[in-house]
Amino acid sequence: MADKSASPAGVPLKAVTEAPPKAPEPPPKRNPAFRMMGLPNFRFKLPSRNWLIFLSITGSFTSALLYDRHQRKLAQRKWCTLVSHLALEPLPVNTLQRKLTIYLSAPPGDSLRSAREYFQEYVKPVLVAAALDWEVVEGRREGDVRVGLAEKVRRLRRKRGEAGQAELEEDAEALVDQTRQRSGTQDYDGLKGDIVIGRHTWKEYIRGLHEGWLGPLDLPQTPEPSTTLPEMPLLDPTSTANSSPPLDDPQPAQDDSPRTSPPATTATDTNPEKEPEKESPKPKPTTPTPPYLPTISYPTSSLAPTIPPTFEPSAPLPFPHILGFLNTPIRIYRFLTRRHLTDSIGRQTAAVILASHRPYAQTSSFASSIDPDSQPSPSSSSTSSAAAAHVDAGAVVESGTAYEQAHVLTHEEREWHKSARKRVDGEGERVWLDEVVLDPRVAERMRRFELSAADEERAERIAEGKEGVLGRPVGEGQEESLLSLSGVLGMVGLGSKESGGQKPGWVQGEEGDEEA
């Protein structure tokens, strides 16, 4: 009987038992919309490992950046709303608006552009929301702010009647003042104030105040070294001719070379109408004007007779600015957390606008004249008895006074670029590197802006949405006001799209009427 599993002659058993190959599966159905647009058929699947790493890093950075930007807008809107009621107050047509003075200078190792961007991003929106005016004193190098502030103080002293060798020049500012006086325009009669940006600018601000109010009105003349030769006694020509040279003196060597006669003078050389030589342009000074008063002369200098009992308050604002490739992680962190800086700068700027201030703090350190642990020795009995005649035993005397102005923003000096720390022999005074020297007569007249507790509470209610402009609840009385909250915030670029898309106030001021 034949085996059923046996294969036919000449045909292998494997070839008979294999099934025929399956037909290929039809391609998945494509989206008709994608097919008409020529796009491939997207298949949803889990990304690969590399794509997951890339998307997680970029997504985290983008999320942190967007969150920080949103919080910055909320913080800036809070402080703009706090001061925007000042923009609604009416102002007489013949009275100028309150004017602040902004002091800023290029940070060590960088240009002035970074300081300008800092002011425009953090300080300017709050000032525009309150409709205040300001003037800027800029410094491109070390010492420019000191020179500008000291000259401003000296000009003010001349206006108040102090006489100096140099008369008050008729510059553009004086002409503007005369025009306003003739037209009856009055200056703002109230508190103004100064805003100082950065520790380096603050040092120059302190130095300029002392130089202006303690120094002279005119630059002290330094004696120039004499360049004239000493006069020689005149000799009698007859005695010179009859006298013979001494025997010890050697005879001068005869010069056998032919002597050349001086060139003949031409007519062009003797022409009196010769064109004068063009003066070469004077090189620009690389260093600012030297100070009128050194710091060691503060105690011996007399105070200006026109000095006010108190100065205009000031507000030193922090200016975090760090350079260097190795500091990149710190710079990235600060870039993603600018909301904290926006809130801090907005609070201090609002304090300047609301004009709430206090005196700068000062602390006195005391020391005992006699050490309680020391025992008088027999040999020093006469000395101790003589000292006891002047100072009682256990007396405590004041050893010094520490002023708050000297320690403001000291943490910023650690982040200055190393190029600003280099000293050159014989370079003179370095305001940025020298210690802050304060005179008690000037330091006690200074005031600092500080936000009151009532304004802090009102700012918190604004942040929670419980209060709006002028202390009213949000949405109440907005139609009756001359300028609504959305209009004020629109001026500083914080308004919503529903407010008409109004451009910021400083952009509107720079743009002209193109149709005209």
Side-chain angles (χ1 to χ4, degrees):
M1 186 174 179
D3 190 4
K4 295 181 179 180
S5 61
S7 60
V11 180
L13 180 62
K14 185 177 180 181
V16 176
T17 57
E18 275 188 357
K22 295 182 179 180
E25 297 180 359
K29 295 182 179 180
R30 300 179 59 186
N31 192 320
F34 290 167
R35 185 176 68 253
M36 297 300 295
M37 290 188 296
L39 297 177
N41 189 21
F42 295 102
R43 298 177 61 187
F44 296 97
K45 62 179 180 180
L46 190 66
S48 62
R49 169 182 170 274
N50 295 341
W51 273 107
L52 285 176
I53 296 174
F54 172 76
L55 293 177
S56 60
I57 293 176
T58 55
S60 302
F61 186 86
T62 305
S63 302
L65 180 61
L66 295 178
Y67 175 77
D68 180 71
R69 182 178 299 179
H70 176 68
Q71 294 297 323
R72 284 171 53 203
K73 288 184 178 181
L74 294 180
Q76 205 164 66
R77 180 176 298 182
K78 175 181 66 174
W79 299 115
C80 289
T81 308
L82 181 66
V83 301
S84 59
H85 68 278
L86 298 176
L88 310 179
E89 297 180 358
L91 187 68
V93 294
N94 61 340
T95 304
L96 297 177
Q97 179 60 284
R98 180 188 174 192
K99 194 173 189 177
L100 304 176
T101 306
I102 314 297
Y103 295 92
L104 58 89
S105 61
D110 207 345
S111 63
L112 185 61
R113 181 178 179 180
S114 57
R116 288 175 175 173
E117 292 177 349
Y118 174 90
F119 168 73
Q120 294 178 1
E121 185 173 358
Y122 298 104
V123 183
K124 189 175 182 179
V126 189
L127 297 179
V128 172
L132 293 188
D133 191 10
W134 66 84
E135 63 175 346
V136 182
V137 178
E138 295 182 342
R140 296 182 178 274
R141 57 189 175 182
E142 181 179 357
D144 286 353
V145 172
R146 172 192 63 82
V147 173
L149 177 57
E151 186 60 32
K152 181 180 179 181
V153 174
R154 287 190 288 265
R155 182 182 296 274
L156 179 61
R157 292 170 57 184
R158 292 190 183 98
K159 284 184 179 180
R160 293 180 176 179
E162 292 191 38
Q165 297 179 2
E167 299 180 356
L168 186 62
E169 300 179 358
E170 292 288 340
D171 55 355
E173 184 178 353
L175 294 177
V176 171
D177 293 340
Q178 294 177 6
T179 305
R180 289 173 177 172
Q181 187 176 4
R182 288 193 299 266
S183 62
T185 304
Q186 301 177 1
D187 197 3
Y188 177 78
D189 187 14
L191 199 64
K192 295 182 180 179
D194 302 330
I195 295 179
V196 188
I197 299 177
R199 169 73 176 179
H200 59 293
T201 314
W202 176 252
K203 279 190 167 183
E204 297 190 34
Y205 178 82
I206 296 293
R207 186 71 175 91
L209 274 181
H210 285 73
E211 181 183 343
W213 290 112
L214 299 179
L217 288 176
D218 305 301
L219 180 64
Q221 299 293 335
T222 56
E224 298 181 358
S226 177
T227 56
T228 58
L229 298 176
E231 297 183 359
M232 301 297 294
L234 298 178
L235 300 178
D236 189 2
T238 57
S239 61
T240 307
N242 298 333
S243 61
S244 59
L247 299 178
D248 297 340
D249 295 343
Q251 295 293 334
Q254 299 293 333
D255 189 6
D256 299 336
S257 60
R259 297 182 178 180
T260 58
S261 59
T265 341
T266 58
T268 56
D269 297 333
T270 58
N271 187 8
E273 299 180 356
K274 184 179 180 181
E275 296 181 359
E277 298 180 358
K278 296 182 179 180
E279 297 181 358
S280 57
K282 296 181 180 180
K284 295 182 179 180
T286 56
T287 57
T289 308
Y292 287 21
L293 182 71
T295 55
I296 58 175
S297 302
Y298 285 174
T300 58
S301 59
S302 59
L303 206 60
T306 57
I307 187 172
T310 57
F311 295 150
E312 295 288 347
S314 57
L317 302 185
F319 185 17
H321 187 77
I322 189 170
L323 300 174
F325 177 76
L326 298 179
N327 297 321
T328 302
I330 302 177
R331 299 176 67 180
I332 293 177
Y333 173 77
R334 291 181 178 178
F335 178 74
L336 296 176
T337 57
R338 288 186 294 175
R339 56 186 179 274
H340 306 302
L341 182 62
T342 303
D343 187 70
S344 175
I345 299 302
R347 175 182 291 101
Q348 299 186 50
T349 309
V352 175
I353 296 173
L354 298 176
S356 55
H357 58 88
R358 62 166 177 82
Y360 278 93
Q362 54 182 358
T363 57
S364 300
S365 56
F366 297 90
S368 176
S369 59
I370 298 178
D371 189 2
D373 297 333
S374 62
Q375 299 293 335
S377 59
S379 60
S380 62
S381 59
S382 59
T383 307
S384 61
S385 61
H390 300 280
V391 182
D392 296 336
V396 178
V397 296
E398 183 177 354
S399 60
T401 304
Y403 294 96
E404 181 185 0
Q405 298 94 312
H407 306 285
V408 170
L409 306 176
T410 52
H411 61 278
E412 293 186 3
E413 295 189 15
R414 299 191 297 266
E415 299 178 353
W416 288 355
H417 196 262
K418 60 182 180 181
S419 60
R421 305 176 185 272
K422 296 181 180 179
R423 289 183 177 270
V424 182
D425 296 338
E427 64 180 351
E429 182 182 6
R430 290 290 303 275
V431 184
W432 291 355
L433 301 183
D434 297 342
E435 295 294 333
V436 177
V437 181
L438 291 165
D439 187 86
R441 297 168 293 177
V442 176
E444 293 175 356
R445 286 176 164 84
M446 299 180 65
R447 300 291 183 268
R448 180 172 186 173
F449 287 109
E450 187 177 67
L451 199 63
S452 61
D455 293 328
E456 284 277 6
E457 295 176 359
R458 181 170 166 239
E460 292 298 329
R461 293 195 299 269
I462 292 174
E464 296 173 359
K466 300 179 181 179
E467 190 172 326
V469 184
L470 298 175
R472 301 177 180 177
V474 178
E476 179 181 338
Q478 297 294 339
E479 296 81 5
E480 303 175 1
S481 61
L482 299 177
L483 189 62
S484 63
L485 173 61
S486 59
V488 174
L489 298 179
M491 293 173 60
V492 297
L494 298 176
S496 59
K497 296 181 180 179
E498 290 79 5
S499 60
Q502 191 176 8
K503 296 182 179 180
W506 60 85
V507 178
Q508 295 180 0
E510 295 175 357
E511 293 179 354
D513 191 1
E514 299 179 356
E515 297 180 359

